[in-house]
């Protein structure tokens, strides 16, 4: 076991850390985190517009104006995540290069509008041109992220080559910065414009959005949302935690854009009164993470109420509060599970069990599918299960996961508890 731990510390962890800290992935993580407050705020209003109580639903059906008004804030927050993420990625990536992040974020956003197709229609005999606002939602997220990376890379190269307008020393810094961005911004627009023209005139695709949807979104969505793919994703998250890396943050760099699209699709179905279709979405991880990654709340309960070791009992009592709110770092690093190969066994069993139960129960209709509501990650289990599925079946599912968590962790907890008791006895005898 010591050799395995040493190998992981010396060989695996440095490489994993390097990948985790790669500037594009780090900027992508920050950009996706920036969208979370908007999604949570929008989810609150979506709940208000679709709360699953028959009398309340009937009232809203009879007063459609009230329901439409409740969806205004939803559309203004939840449904602009592509724009927020595009700006955020341009900002954070430029910040990592030490170039003006505000200008870069704005240029990234302008570039996104440049590649997004427009439509024309006639209203009251007047020709109107506009942009489909569906592209502002997670439907346009992948394109926004790719365009933000391209535009920021072009922008920073031009800046670093000093191809900028230099203003006299007496000009205020804010004005000087705005002129500094003129040439880089112009060149970014030229590059993105050329990409759009090439795609629309030399390929069979009608827009960059179509290219990304066919070549990137569909394959990744199929891979990441199938039963097997979902098990692999959550296994990887827990494997990264086993060596001390924040698995959720690293996996979210790749998977969260996909999951948010599916959350948005479920929310749109709910808002329009249609059945939701997607099982795996951004909410799925919160449904199965009862107590945090690895569903460790069962282990915390075992420690708090069944430990004979003073150390583990105290750790359990200290961890139960954070565990209820999905924070399990005290257990991961205090028990510990990190770099503890014996505890890796139940920790890696849990995602397989929870994904299988959750996925199959929703596929067969025993548990309601996620409805596109994304409450804060710290929402306690049972409550979060109800909010995310709009059904008590979501709460029952989380209760079942909690019971299974306790049962799977308990034998390994008892081994550790007996060892700790022996260590405490030896320590007390030495003191005497």
């Amino acid at each position: 076991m010591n050799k395995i731990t040493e190998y992981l510390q010396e060989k695996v962890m440095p490489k994993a850390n390097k990948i985790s800290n790669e500037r594009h992935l780090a900027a992508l993580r920050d950009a996706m985190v920036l969208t979370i407050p908007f999604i949570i705020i929008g989810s609150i209003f979506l709940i208000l517009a679709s709360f699953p109580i028959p009398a309340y639903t009937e009232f809203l059906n009879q007063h459609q104006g009230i329901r439409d008004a409740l969806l205004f804030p939803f559309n203004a927050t939840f449904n602009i995540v592509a724009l927020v993420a595009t700006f955020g990625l341009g900002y954070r990536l430029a910040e990592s290069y030490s170039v003006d992040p505000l200008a870069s974020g704005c240029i990234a956003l302008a570039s996104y509008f440049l590649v997004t197709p427009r439509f024309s229609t006639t209203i009251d005999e007047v020709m109107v041109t506009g942009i489909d606002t569906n592209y502002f939602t997670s439907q346009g997220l992948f394109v926004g992220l790719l365009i933000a990376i391209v535009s920021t890379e072009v922008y920073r190269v031009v800046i670093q080559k000093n191809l900028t307008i230099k203003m006299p020393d007496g000009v205020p810094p804010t004005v000087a910065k705005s002129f500094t961005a003129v040439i880089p911004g112009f060149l970014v627009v030229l590059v993105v414009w050329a990409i759009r023209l090439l795609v629309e005139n030399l390929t069979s695709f009608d827009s960059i959005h179509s290219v990304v949807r066919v070549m990137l979104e569909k394959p990744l969505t199929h891979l990441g949302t199938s039963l097997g793919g979902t098990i692999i994703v959550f296994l990887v998250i827990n494997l990264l935690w086993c060596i001390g890396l924040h698995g959720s943050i690293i996996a979210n760099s790749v998977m969260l854009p996909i999951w948010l699209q599916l959350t948005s699709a479920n929310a749109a179905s709910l808002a329009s009164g249609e059945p939701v279709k997607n099982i795996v979405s951004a909410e799925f991880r919160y449904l199965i993470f009862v107590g945090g990654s690895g569903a460790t709340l069962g282990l915390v309960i075992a420690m708090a109420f069944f430990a004979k070791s003073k150390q583990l009992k105290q750790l359990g009592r200290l961890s139960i509060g954070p565990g209820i709110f999905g924070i399990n770092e005290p257990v991961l690093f205090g028990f510990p599970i990190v770099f503890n190969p014996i505890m890796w066994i139940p920790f890696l069993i849990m995602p397989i069990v929870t994904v299988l139960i959750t996925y199959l129960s929703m596929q067969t209709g025993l548990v309601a599918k996620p409805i596109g509501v994304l409450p804060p990650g710290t929402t306690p289990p049972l409550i979060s299960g109800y909010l995310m599925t709009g059904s008590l079946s979501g709460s029952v599912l989380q209760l079942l996961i909690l019971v299974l968590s306790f049962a799977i962790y308990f034998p390994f907890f008892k081994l550790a508890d007996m060892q700790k008791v022996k260590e405490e006895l030896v320590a007390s005898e030495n003191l005497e």
Side-chain angles (χ1 to χ4, degrees):
M1 290 300 180
N2 289 334
K3 288 183 179 179
I4 294 173
T5 302
E6 287 174 10
Y7 175 80
L8 290 170
Q9 285 178 320
E10 293 175 7
K11 303 293 183 182
V12 178
M13 196 165 181
K15 292 179 181 178
N17 269 321
K18 188 176 181 180
I19 294 170
S20 176
N21 294 324
E22 197 278 327
R23 72 170 76 239
H24 296 87
L25 286 179
L28 181 57
R29 280 199 308 269
D30 290 345
M32 297 314 301
V33 168
L34 185 62
T35 67
I36 297 300
F38 294 87
I39 292 169
I40 291 173
I41 293 167
S43 293
I44 292 170
F45 284 95
L46 182 59
I47 291 171
L48 292 175
S50 310
F51 202 73
I53 295 177
Y56 181 76
T57 303
E58 182 63 27
F59 172 80
L60 290 181
N61 289 338
Q62 294 174 359
H63 300 82
Q64 192 62 37
I66 297 176
R67 189 172 188 276
D68 291 343
L70 289 170
L71 290 174
F72 291 160
F74 165 75
N75 289 321
T77 52
F78 198 109
N79 282 343
I80 62 164
V81 291
L83 305 183
V84 174
T86 301
F87 176 84
L89 180 53
Y91 187 102
R92 291 301 189 192
L93 187 55
E95 196 174 49
S96 74
Y97 284 118
S98 299
V99 297
D100 185 6
L102 187 59
S104 178
C106 292
I107 291 168
L109 196 56
S111 300
Y112 178 73
F113 282 110
L114 176 57
V115 301
T116 301
R118 286 161 172 74
F119 68 91
S120 297
T121 187
T122 302
I123 300 177
D124 295 332
E125 299 183 356
V126 176
M127 181 66 73
V128 177
T129 301
I131 298 177
D132 187 347
T133 55
N134 283 325
Y135 290 118
F136 299 169
T137 71
S138 58
Q139 181 177 319
L141 191 56
F142 268 95
V143 173
L145 296 175
L146 291 173
I147 288 297
I149 291 173
V150 171
S151 69
T152 304
E153 287 295 338
V154 173
Y155 175 82
R156 68 95 179 170
V157 167
V158 177
I159 290 285
Q160 291 171 351
K161 296 288 185 182
N162 288 320
L163 300 175
T164 60
I165 297 174
K166 303 291 192 301
M167 301 299 290
D169 293 338
V171 175
T174 305
V175 177
K177 274 188 176 182
S178 65
F179 276 92
T180 299
V182 171
I183 293 177
F186 179 74
L187 292 174
V188 169
V189 169
L190 279 181
V191 169
V192 175
W193 181 47
I195 292 172
R196 173 175 178 168
L197 293 177
L198 288 171
V199 168
E200 294 181 1
N201 292 284
L202 298 180
T203 73
S204 59
F205 296 101
D206 60 358
S207 72
I208 291 175
H209 287 268
S210 299
V211 176
V212 172
R213 186 165 53 251
V214 171
M215 301 185 69
L216 186 61
E217 285 180 17
K218 286 184 177 179
L220 283 176
T221 300
H222 177 72
L223 176 66
T225 59
S226 64
L227 177 56
T230 304
I231 290 173
I232 291 171
V233 167
F234 286 99
L235 262 178
V236 169
I237 289 173
N238 280 25
L239 277 168
L240 290 168
W241 270 119
C242 286
I243 57 173
L245 297 175
H246 200 304
S248 295
I249 290 179
I250 295 170
N252 284 349
S253 301
V254 178
M255 297 307 305
L256 194 54
I258 298 170
W259 288 337
L260 285 177
Q261 281 196 329
L262 300 170
T263 292
S264 182
N266 282 354
S269 297
L270 182 68
S272 61
E274 299 174 359
V276 296
K277 297 178 181 178
N278 302 307
I279 293 174
V280 181
S281 60
E283 308 97 291
F284 190 89
R285 58 200 166 132
Y286 294 143
L287 280 166
I288 68 171
F289 283 175
V290 177
S293 297
T296 53
L297 189 55
L299 175 59
V300 171
I301 291 172
M303 286 192 292
F305 297 102
F306 297 94
K308 294 181 180 179
S309 159
K310 293 178 182 178
Q311 179 183 335
L312 291 184
K313 184 173 285 292
Q314 185 65 22
L315 177 62
R317 289 173 177 174
L318 291 172
S319 302
I320 198 162
I324 289 171
F325 294 96
I327 300 167
N328 65 344
E329 279 81 354
V331 182
L332 295 176
F333 294 97
F335 189 90
I337 291 173
V338 173
F339 288 114
N340 183 351
I342 293 296
M343 291 306 298
W344 290 353
I345 298 171
F347 191 65
L348 295 177
I349 288 173
M350 282 309 302
I352 299 172
V353 171
T354 55
V355 169
L356 278 172
I357 290 172
T358 305
Y359 195 102
L360 295 176
S361 64
M362 289 182 176
Q363 193 175 55
T364 56
L366 291 173
V367 175
K369 296 175 183 175
I371 58 174
V373 169
L374 189 62
T378 52
T379 306
L382 306 189
I383 296 173
S384 62
Y386 178 75
L387 292 176
M388 288 185 281
T389 61
S391 167
L392 285 174
S393 62
S395 301
V396 174
L397 171 67
Q398 288 188 314
L399 182 60
L400 175 61
I401 289 173
L402 177 58
V403 172
L404 289 172
S405 167
F406 179 87
I408 290 170
Y409 279 111
F410 194 80
F412 299 90
F413 149 73
K414 287 303 293 180
L415 287 173
D417 189 40
M418 287 189 289
Q419 182 63 35
K420 291 292 183 184
V421 169
K422 289 178 184 177
E423 291 174 4
E424 289 169 5
L425 285 172
V426 170
S428 63
E429 288 171 0
N430 290 337
L431 287 175
E432 294 174 359

